[in-house]
Amino acid sequence: MITALAGGVGAAKFLSGLVKIVSEEELTIIVNTGDDIEFFGLHISPDLDIVAYTLAGIVDEEKGWGIKGDTFHCLDMLRRYGYETWFNLGDRDLATHIHRTALLRSGLKLSQVTKDICKRLGLKVNILPMTDDRFETWIETDAGLMHFQEYLVKRGAKDRVLGVKYMGMENASPAEGVIDSILESDLIIVCPSNPIVSIGTILSVKGVRESLRRSRARKVAISPIVSGAPIKGPADKLMSGLGLEVSAFSVAYLYRDFLDIFVLDQLDEKERERIESLGIKTILTNTIMRALEDKINLAKTVLEASRSI
Ligand code: GDP
């Protein structure tokens, strides 16, 4: 069994390569829900949807999120009615949020709802939210404290980051299956996702970090930072805001207490020695995923590396 820890786009790209070489039934994906937010009374789970839409083959590949060919008529009309419409919700995408919210209101947990959505999208992979409880990532900035989506989408990550707060962390328990899948897997893959607001959130859920340390699985992470910068998204701003160097090394450092192998980009050979000095084995390869072939090759490298120790 394989367990992957995942954020949104970077993770989904990698996972779409992985499912070409391992069977979906073998794979559990634990997904960040710190980005979740409510709009128009609807519960939005951006990372869960990015992963599910990508693996179901319906994602808008150009954007990396949303549904291919979607329209935005509902949002246009809501704008006319005076609502804030900075968070992009396509018409077909809205159906997912309506369905999710209806099931949550009927008393189901987010993990049960996610299972239903995945089944209806034809997926056999086990996608789990990191928690069924309220957990929101808020960013402390020079313009005040705001939800991560407000920082990223509404304000375009323009504010200076002073800190990150995981609201609800103290009371959030891992969703059913999260700890078991970590403890029972042979391989755990930390996807190339934001180390603070995607993987950092998952690691902060009660018991997750400890079970990663205890698990006898081989643990492999793929660097989301290449040549000192993220491929996309605000990882650099968040890392430097927290006083961290923006480098592949910093990411490995954040995972040093449980990680066996760190896959870093071939452009980052100079980081190798520092990372190995943490007691983590390194593998150099191309980690920039453009075509499906890149994703499959990266997945193959991760599997081979995990067998080499
Ligand atoms: P989201 O996709 O913005 O919701 O958030 P993620 O948690 O997935 O974070 C995006 C991270 O994925 C960024 O740090 C990117 O640098 C990284 N990423 C995206 N595409 C790639 C890629 O092709 N290769 C690698 N190595 N990292 C990537």
Side-chain angles (χ1 to χ4, degrees), residues 7-11 13 47 192-194 198 223-224 230-232 235 287-289:
V9 182
K13 284 200 287 182
D47 285 352
S193 294
N194 187 309
S198 293
S223 180
I231 308 280
K232 76 170 261 297
T287 68
I288 300 172
M289 296 171 282

Side-chain angles (χ1 to χ4, degrees), residues 235-257:
D236 49 346
K237 293 174 176 156
L238 292 162
M239 290 174 81
S240 53
L242 295 182
L244 295 165
E245 172 193 288
V246 183
S247 65
F249 169 80
S250 272
V251 180
Y253 188 80
L254 291 171
Y255 306 156
R256 69 190 179 288
D257 56 321

Side-chain angles (χ1 to χ4, degrees), residues 188-252:
I188 293 166
I189 304 173
V190 183
C191 293
S193 294
N194 187 309
I196 312 294
V197 296
S198 293
I199 304 300
T201 44
I202 300 174
L203 297 178
S204 76
V205 176
K206 235 180 283 167
V208 168
R209 197 160 200 134
E210 204 221 315
S211 60
L212 281 166
R213 279 192 222 116
R214 272 180 47 211
S215 172
R216 299 180 62 185
R218 281 142 295 154
K219 297 143 211 163
V220 185
I222 301 141
S223 180
I225 302 287
V226 177
S227 299
I231 308 280
K232 76 170 261 297
D236 49 346
K237 293 174 176 156
L238 292 162
M239 290 174 81
S240 53
L242 295 182
L244 295 165
E245 172 193 288
V246 183
S247 65
F249 169 80
S250 272
V251 180

